């Protein structure tokens, strides 16, 4: 007998209501892929049981065919998670892992969760998260941009040794997955799990996003394809997705404004091995040799748009996007030309001659 998603949620709700009545539990909420329109008939559900004196722990229970992961946590522990998220600095000089990944995931689960029991404390924490929604959204973007950065770094090393071809293929696909997740997050689809990236992009990616190409690139062997349609295409497309997320997406500018997802035939190109990460004080572009350049948000957008364009197209793009957010307001023709000259000098962009 197949249990529908609605039936699975109902079964989980019944178990949640029963467990929420155990001594010491004052607040409870359900969360997981099934609660946000994702998941399938084998997906589990997460139940958080909270109370002042609840000891942290985790176990599983079953309701017919539905597995429920039960997370026990003190209300003070969850409040600490929310506090660390709400006060995150997101500066380029703050060091790695300022907010632990588990805190970001727990906060996202709380944000999207279905309340079962609320003493008032749970509602207070959820309101605080809503007040700092921009920070939480940027923390999730940071998660994917960081993962892609380390993927680019690993890929460069693996490609040096032919015996590491299988590992290189795996990392190339990881790079694409994280790029897809970054696009989804930039489109305000803030589910932390990776495996539903397809459905997230199906429902959230902007019109014109080449989802068919994303699928194709993830399924082929990037090292077995011809040089221009294998790994180079994977890296270019992933970098474009990440660049769009780290610029427009970081500032919550809809990605429908992004001018192109595939390179044009012009001479200006980003160096394909560069990774990109966004912060409140700028955007950091990193090369595999550990060269690290911090750009202003305006300069980063110029860098991101150098995807096979010529100077005229680049200026048209920046003048159009200058209206989308105050941080890009300075991007007139003269400012764009000056920033491009700096990017060429810093060897972050190259001008190819055909």
């Amino acid at each position: 007998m197949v249990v529908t998603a609605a039936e699975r949620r109902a079964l989980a709700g019944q178990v949640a209501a029963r467990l929420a009545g155990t001594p010491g539990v004052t607040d409870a909420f359900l969360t997981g892929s099934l609660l946000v329109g994702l998941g399938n008939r084998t997906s589990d559900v997460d139940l958080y049981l909270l109370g002042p004196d609840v000891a942290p722990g985790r176990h599983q229970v079953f309701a017919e065919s539905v597995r429920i992961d039960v997370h026990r946590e003190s209300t003070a522990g969850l409040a600490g998670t929310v506090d660390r998220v709400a006060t995150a600095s997101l500066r380029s000089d703050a060091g790695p892992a300022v907010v632990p990944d588990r805190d970001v995931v727990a906060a996202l689960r709380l944000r999207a969760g279905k309340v079962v029991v609320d003493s008032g404390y749970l509602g207070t924490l959820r309101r605080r998260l809503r007040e700092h929604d921009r920070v939480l959204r940027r923390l999730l973007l940071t998660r994917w941009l960081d993962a892609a950065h380390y993927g680019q770094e690993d890929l460069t090393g693996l490609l040096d040794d032919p015996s590491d071809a299988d590992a290189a293929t795996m990392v190339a696909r990881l790079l694409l997955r994280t790029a897809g997740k970054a696009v989804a997050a930039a489109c305000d689809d803030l589910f932390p799990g990776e495996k539903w990236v397809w459905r997230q992009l199906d429902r959230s990616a902007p019109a014109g996003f080449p989802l068919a190409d994303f699928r194709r690139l993830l399924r082929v062997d990037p090292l077995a394809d011809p040089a221009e349609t294998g790994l180079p295409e994977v890296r270019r497309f992933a970098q474009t997705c990440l660049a769009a997320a780290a610029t427009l997406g970081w500032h919550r500018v809809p990605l429908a404004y992004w001018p192109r997802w595939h390179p044009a035939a012009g001479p200006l190109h980003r160096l394909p091995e560069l990774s990109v990460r966004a912060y409140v004080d700028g955007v950091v572009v990193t090369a595999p040799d550990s060269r690290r350049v911090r750009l202003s948000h305006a300069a980063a957008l110029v860098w991101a748009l150098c995807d096979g364009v010529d100077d005229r197209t680049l200026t048209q793009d920046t003048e159009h996007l200058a209206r989308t957010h105050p941080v890009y307001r300075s991007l007139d023709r003269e400012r764009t030309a000056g920033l491009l000259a700096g990017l060429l000098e810093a060897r972050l962009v190259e001008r190819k001659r055909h």
Side-chain angles (χ1 to χ4, degrees):
M1 175 182 176
V2 177
V3 181
T4 67
E7 291 169 334
R8 296 174 74 80
R9 289 193 294 269
L11 284 169
Q14 294 169 16
V15 174
R18 186 172 71 250
L19 293 178
T22 55
V25 174
T26 59
D27 299 82
F29 67 94
L30 285 166
T31 189
S33 57
L34 285 174
L35 276 295
V36 294
L38 302 170
N40 57 30
R41 64 184 182 85
T42 63
S43 296
D44 61 355
V45 178
D46 292 281
L47 169 63
Y48 280 75
L49 300 176
L50 310 163
D53 300 314
V54 171
R58 180 177 174 178
H59 66 279
Q60 292 182 345
V61 298
F62 286 84
E64 298 183 14
S65 62
V66 182
R67 187 177 82 249
I68 302 171
D69 285 337
V70 181
H71 306 259
R72 299 179 64 85
E73 178 74 80
S74 70
T75 46
L78 187 59
T81 291
V82 172
D83 186 63
R84 287 187 290 275
V85 165
T87 60
S89 70
L90 292 169
R91 290 185 55 84
S92 62
D93 56 0
V98 174
V99 179
D101 190 59
R102 65 179 180 275
D103 284 344
V104 178
V105 172
L108 288 166
R109 287 174 170 176
L110 175 59
R111 177 187 185 273
K114 178 184 177 182
V115 174
V116 179
V117 176
D118 183 8
S119 67
Y121 198 75
L122 193 61
T124 299
L125 293 180
R126 283 161 63 94
R127 282 192 296 275
R128 188 166 188 220
L129 273 184
R130 285 195 296 271
E131 291 167 0
H132 296 277
D133 191 64
R134 183 175 71 168
V135 177
L136 179 56
R137 180 181 176 277
R138 285 179 167 179
L139 282 169
L140 184 59
L141 271 172
T142 296
R143 182 192 197 200
W144 303 123
L145 294 173
D146 277 347
H149 163 73
Y150 293 115
Q152 275 278 44
E153 189 177 76
D154 288 343
L155 187 58
T156 299
L158 291 167
L159 290 172
D160 291 339
D161 188 344
S163 67
D164 288 330
D166 290 329
T169 299
M170 179 182 69
V171 173
R173 288 175 174 154
L174 168 67
L175 187 61
L176 272 175
R177 290 202 312 273
T178 54
K181 289 295 295 186
V183 168
C187 295
D188 287 326
D189 200 331
L190 305 183
F191 185 74
E194 284 189 46
K195 64 184 173 184
W196 303 116
V197 62
W198 307 105
R199 289 200 202 169
Q200 288 183 271
L201 291 173
D202 269 333
R203 71 186 185 183
S204 303
F209 180 80
L211 188 57
D213 289 324
F214 180 74
R215 282 194 171 96
R216 173 180 59 81
L217 289 172
L218 195 58
R219 291 175 179 178
V220 301
D221 181 349
L223 300 186
D225 274 7
E228 285 304 312
T229 58
L231 187 61
E233 186 181 2
V234 168
R235 292 181 104 170
R236 280 196 303 266
F237 182 67
Q239 188 188 62
T240 296
C241 292
L242 295 160
T247 53
L248 299 190
W250 183 260
H251 298 291
R252 217 167 201 161
V253 176
L255 292 195
Y257 283 98
W258 191 253
R260 67 194 60 80
W261 295 99
H262 291 305
L268 296 171
H269 293 266
R270 304 180 303 259
L271 268 67
E273 69 270 17
L274 298 177
S275 63
V276 56
R277 288 175 289 178
Y279 303 91
V280 295
D281 58 328
V283 174
V284 173
V285 177
T286 307
D289 60 4
S290 298
R291 186 167 62 99
R292 186 174 183 269
V293 181
R294 185 171 66 188
L295 304 174
S296 68
H297 288 288
L301 182 62
V302 175
W303 172 82
L305 292 169
C306 288
D307 191 21
V309 297
D310 55 25
D311 295 67
R312 180 184 177 187
T313 302
L314 177 63
T315 299
Q316 290 173 341
D317 288 343
T318 56
E319 288 181 339
H320 175 65
L321 292 171
R323 299 189 291 269
T324 63
H325 194 277
V327 77
Y328 301 133
R329 194 171 290 157
S330 67
L331 288 173
D332 58 15
R333 182 182 301 271
E334 183 177 352
R335 174 72 168 151
T336 297
L339 290 172
L340 174 60
L343 293 167
L344 288 165
E345 184 180 357
R347 293 178 290 111
L348 302 178
V349 170
E350 61 182 344
R351 189 185 294 275
K352 295 184 177 180
R353 302 194 182 278
H354 298 284

